[in-house]
Amino acid sequence: PARMEIEAKANDFYNRYVPESAPKVLHYDKEQFILIREAAPAAADMWKSELLNGVFDFNVAKKTIEALAIVHNKSANNAECAEAFADGTIFYQLRISPYFEFLKTKHPELADVIDDQIPKIRDRHEVLVHADYSPKNILVNPDRSICILDYEISHYGNPAFDVAFYTNHIVLKSAHMRRYSAAVLNMLLCMTDTYFSMINFTDPVKLEEECIPLLG
C-alpha cells in the first residue's frame, strides 16, 4: 500500500511539469489507499507494442525523452521534491536487490564491478527518478501524444539510473528485432542526444559516462 502514495505524488509532479504527457491526479485517499486519475483514451496503445510491431515513430520517441529531461531539470535542487521522495526503500527492494545484488550470486566474478555501481544509485540524491521508465509504461494516444504511467518506484536519486534503464529497454529491442536494429539504435541515438542537450542541472558528459556502466 505504501507504493500507492508514491504513485500519486510522482504522477502529480509529472502532470505539473509535463501535463501533456502525464494523466492528472484527481484524488488520493491516504487512509484507504485509493487513487483516482484521468484515464488514457480507450484507443491508446502501449508504446512497447508499437515498437515490437516495427513502428518507430521518432516524434513519439522524442516526446518520451523530452518529458524525462524536463522532470529531471525541474526536480533537480528542489528541496520540497527531495523531501517528498526521500524514502528509497522500494527502489532498493525492486531495483537494487533484484537487479544488482542478485546478479552477484550468478556472476561472483563481477562482484567488485557491481558493488561499485550500487552506491552511485543508492546514495546520490539529485532528481526525481521514475525508476520504471520504459516503453511498457508509456501509452501512445490516437493523436500521437503520450501518457506516462507506473510511478510507484519513484524516489529522489541519481538520474543516470533512469537513462540507463530506459536505454536498456531500447537496446534489448534492437537485439530482439535484428532486422530493425539499425532503425532502433538510430532512434535511441536521437533520444539520448535530445536528453543530454536538454539537461541543465549537471555536466551532461559526466552524466553520460555514469550511464554506460549502469547500462551494462
Coordinates of all heavy atoms in Angstrom, one line a residue, residues 60-98:
V60 N 7.2 10.4 -31.4 CA 6.8 9.8 -30.1 C 8.0 9.6 -29.2 O 8.0 9.9 -28.0 CB 6.0 8.5 -30.3 CG1 5.9 7.7 -29.0 CG2 4.7 8.8 -30.9
A61 N 9.1 9.0 -29.8 CA 10.3 8.8 -29.0 C 10.8 10.1 -28.4 O 11.3 10.1 -27.3 CB 11.3 8.2 -29.9
K62 N 10.8 11.2 -29.2 CA 11.3 12.4 -28.7 C 10.5 13.0 -27.6 O 11.0 13.5 -26.6 CB 11.3 13.5 -29.9 CG 12.0 14.8 -29.5 CD 12.1 15.7 -30.7 CE 12.8 17.0 -30.4 NZ 12.7 18.0 -31.5
K63 N 9.1 12.8 -27.6 CA 8.3 13.2 -26.6 C 8.6 12.5 -25.3 O 8.6 13.1 -24.2 CB 6.8 13.0 -26.9 CG 6.3 14.0 -28.0 CD 4.9 13.6 -28.5 CE 4.5 14.5 -29.6 NZ 3.1 14.1 -30.2
T64 N 8.9 11.2 -25.4 CA 9.2 10.4 -24.2 C 10.4 10.9 -23.5 O 10.5 11.0 -22.2 CB 9.3 8.9 -24.5 OG1 10.5 8.7 -25.2 CG2 8.1 8.4 -25.2
I65 N 11.5 11.2 -24.2 CA 12.7 11.6 -23.6 C 12.7 13.1 -23.2 O 13.3 13.5 -22.2 CB 13.9 11.3 -24.6 CG1 15.2 11.2 -23.8 CG2 14.0 12.3 -25.7 CD1 15.3 10.0 -22.9
E66 N 12.0 13.9 -23.9 CA 11.8 15.3 -23.5 C 11.1 15.4 -22.2 O 11.5 16.2 -21.3 CB 11.0 16.1 -24.6 CG 11.8 16.4 -25.8 CD 11.0 17.1 -26.9 OE1 9.8 17.0 -26.8 OE2 11.6 17.7 -27.8
A67 N 10.1 14.6 -22.0 CA 9.4 14.6 -20.7 C 10.3 14.2 -19.6 O 10.3 14.8 -18.5 CB 8.2 13.6 -20.8
L68 N 11.1 13.2 -19.8 CA 12.1 12.8 -18.7 C 13.1 13.9 -18.4 O 13.3 14.1 -17.2 CB 12.8 11.5 -19.2 CG 13.7 10.9 -18.1 CD1 12.9 10.3 -17.0 CD2 14.5 9.7 -18.7
A69 N 13.6 14.5 -19.4 CA 14.6 15.6 -19.2 C 14.0 16.8 -18.5 O 14.6 17.3 -17.6 CB 15.1 16.0 -20.6
I70 N 12.7 17.1 -18.8 CA 12.0 18.2 -18.2 C 11.8 17.9 -16.7 O 12.1 18.8 -15.8 CB 10.7 18.5 -18.8 CG1 10.9 19.1 -20.2 CG2 9.9 19.5 -18.0 CD1 9.7 19.2 -21.1
V71 N 11.4 16.7 -16.4 CA 11.2 16.3 -15.0 C 12.5 16.3 -14.2 O 12.6 16.8 -13.1 CB 10.4 15.0 -14.9 CG1 10.5 14.5 -13.4 CG2 9.0 15.1 -15.4
H72 N 13.5 15.8 -14.8 CA 14.8 15.8 -14.1 C 15.3 17.3 -13.9 O 15.8 17.6 -12.8 CB 15.9 15.1 -15.0 CG 15.7 13.6 -14.9 ND1 16.6 12.7 -15.6 CD2 14.9 12.8 -14.2 CE1 16.2 11.5 -15.3 NE2 15.2 11.5 -14.5
N73 N 15.1 18.1 -14.9 CA 15.5 19.5 -14.7 C 14.7 20.2 -13.6 O 15.3 20.9 -12.8 CB 15.3 20.3 -16.0 CG 16.4 20.1 -17.0 OD1 17.6 19.7 -16.7 ND2 16.2 20.3 -18.3
K74 N 13.4 20.0 -13.6 CA 12.5 20.7 -12.7 C 12.7 20.2 -11.2 O 12.5 20.9 -10.3 CB 11.1 20.6 -13.1 CG 10.7 21.3 -14.4 CD 10.9 22.8 -14.3 CE 10.5 23.5 -15.5 NZ 10.7 25.0 -15.4
S75 N 13.1 18.9 -11.1 CA 13.2 18.4 -9.7 C 14.6 18.5 -9.2 O 14.8 18.4 -7.9 CB 12.8 16.9 -9.8 OG 13.7 16.1 -10.7
A76 N 15.6 18.8 -10.0 CA 17.0 19.0 -9.5 C 17.0 20.2 -8.6 O 16.4 21.2 -8.8 CB 17.9 19.2 -10.7
N77 N 17.8 20.0 -7.5 CA 18.0 21.1 -6.5 C 16.6 21.6 -6.0 O 16.5 22.8 -5.6 CB 18.8 22.3 -7.1 CG 20.1 21.8 -7.6 OD1 20.9 21.1 -7.0 ND2 20.4 22.2 -8.9
N78 N 15.7 20.7 -5.9 CA 14.3 21.1 -5.4 C 14.1 20.4 -4.0 O 13.9 19.2 -3.9 CB 13.3 20.5 -6.4 CG 11.9 20.9 -6.1 OD1 11.5 20.9 -4.9 ND2 11.1 21.2 -7.1
A79 N 14.3 21.2 -3.0 CA 14.2 20.7 -1.6 C 12.9 20.1 -1.3 O 12.8 19.0 -0.6 CB 14.5 21.9 -0.6
E80 N 11.8 20.6 -1.8 CA 10.5 20.1 -1.5 C 10.3 18.7 -2.1 O 9.8 17.8 -1.5 CB 9.4 21.0 -2.1 CG 8.0 20.5 -1.8 CD 6.9 21.4 -2.4 OE1 7.3 22.5 -2.9 OE2 5.7 21.1 -2.4
C81 N 10.8 18.6 -3.3 CA 10.8 17.3 -4.0 C 11.7 16.3 -3.4 O 11.3 15.1 -3.2 CB 11.2 17.5 -5.5 SG 11.0 16.0 -6.5
A82 N 12.8 16.7 -3.0 CA 13.8 15.8 -2.3 C 13.2 15.3 -1.0 O 13.3 14.1 -0.7 CB 15.1 16.6 -2.0
E83 N 12.5 16.1 -0.3 CA 11.9 15.6 1.0 C 10.7 14.7 0.7 O 10.5 13.7 1.4 CB 11.4 16.8 1.8 CG 10.8 16.5 3.1 CD 10.3 17.6 3.9 OE1 10.5 18.8 3.5 OE2 9.7 17.4 5.0
A84 N 9.9 15.0 -0.3 CA 8.7 14.2 -0.6 C 9.1 12.8 -1.1 O 8.3 11.8 -0.8 CB 7.9 14.9 -1.6
F85 N 10.2 12.6 -1.7 CA 10.6 11.4 -2.3 C 11.9 10.8 -1.7 O 12.7 10.2 -2.4 CB 10.7 11.5 -3.8 CG 9.5 11.9 -4.5 CD1 9.2 13.2 -4.8 CD2 8.5 10.9 -4.8 CE1 8.0 13.5 -5.4 CE2 7.3 11.2 -5.4 CZ 7.0 12.5 -5.7
A86 N 12.2 11.1 -0.4 CA 13.4 10.8 0.2 C 13.6 9.3 0.5 O 14.7 8.7 0.5 CB 13.6 11.6 1.5
D87 N 12.4 8.6 0.7 CA 12.5 7.2 1.0 C 12.8 6.3 -0.2 O 12.1 6.2 -1.1 CB 11.1 6.7 1.6 CG 11.2 5.4 2.2 OD1 12.2 4.6 2.0 OD2 10.2 5.0 2.9
G88 N 14.0 5.7 -0.1 CA 14.4 4.8 -1.2 C 14.2 3.3 -1.0 O 14.8 2.5 -1.7
T89 N 13.4 3.0 0.0 CA 13.2 1.6 0.4 C 12.7 0.7 -0.8 O 13.2 -0.4 -1.1 CB 12.2 1.5 1.6 OG1 12.7 2.2 2.7 CG2 12.0 0.0 2.0
I90 N 11.6 1.2 -1.4 CA 11.0 0.4 -2.5 C 12.0 0.3 -3.7 O 12.0 -0.7 -4.4 CB 9.6 1.0 -2.9 CG1 8.7 0.9 -1.7 CG2 9.1 0.4 -4.2 CD1 7.4 1.6 -1.9
F91 N 12.7 1.4 -3.9 CA 13.7 1.3 -5.0 C 14.7 0.2 -4.7 O 15.1 -0.5 -5.6 CB 14.4 2.7 -5.1 CG 15.5 2.7 -6.2 CD1 15.2 2.5 -7.5 CD2 16.8 2.9 -5.8 CE1 16.3 2.6 -8.5 CE2 17.8 3.0 -6.7 CZ 17.6 2.8 -8.1
Y92 N 15.1 0.2 -3.5 CA 16.1 -0.9 -3.1 C 15.4 -2.3 -3.3 O 16.0 -3.2 -3.9 CB 16.5 -0.8 -1.6 CG 17.3 -2.0 -1.2 CD1 18.6 -2.2 -1.5 CD2 16.7 -3.0 -0.4 CE1 19.3 -3.3 -1.1 CE2 17.3 -4.1 0.0 CZ 18.7 -4.3 -0.4 OH 19.3 -5.4 0.0
Q93 N 14.2 -2.4 -2.8 CA 13.5 -3.7 -2.9 C 13.3 -4.2 -4.4 O 13.4 -5.4 -4.7 CB 12.2 -3.7 -2.2 CG 12.3 -3.5 -0.7 CD 11.0 -3.2 0.0 OE1 10.0 -2.8 -0.7 NE2 10.9 -3.4 1.3
L94 N 13.0 -3.3 -5.2 CA 12.5 -3.6 -6.6 C 13.6 -3.4 -7.7 O 13.4 -3.9 -8.8 CB 11.3 -2.9 -7.0 CG 10.0 -3.1 -6.1 CD1 8.8 -2.4 -6.7 CD2 9.8 -4.6 -6.0
R95 N 14.7 -2.7 -7.3 CA 15.7 -2.5 -8.3 C 17.1 -2.9 -7.9 O 17.8 -3.7 -8.5 CB 15.7 -1.0 -8.7 CG 14.5 -0.6 -9.5 CD 14.4 -1.2 -10.9 NE 13.3 -0.9 -11.6 CZ 12.1 -1.6 -11.7 NH1 12.1 -2.8 -11.0 NH2 11.1 -1.2 -12.4
I96 N 17.6 -2.4 -6.8 CA 19.0 -2.7 -6.3 C 19.1 -4.2 -6.0 O 20.0 -4.9 -6.4 CB 19.4 -1.8 -5.2 CG1 19.5 -0.3 -5.6 CG2 20.8 -2.3 -4.6 CD1 19.9 0.6 -4.5
S97 N 18.1 -4.7 -5.2 CA 18.2 -6.1 -4.7 C 18.1 -7.0 -5.9 O 19.0 -7.9 -6.1 CB 17.2 -6.3 -3.7 OG 17.2 -7.7 -3.3
P98 N 17.0 -7.0 -6.7 CA 16.9 -8.0 -7.8 C 17.8 -7.7 -9.0 O 18.2 -8.7 -9.7 CB 15.4 -7.8 -8.2 CG 15.1 -6.4 -7.9 CD 15.8 -6.1 -6.6

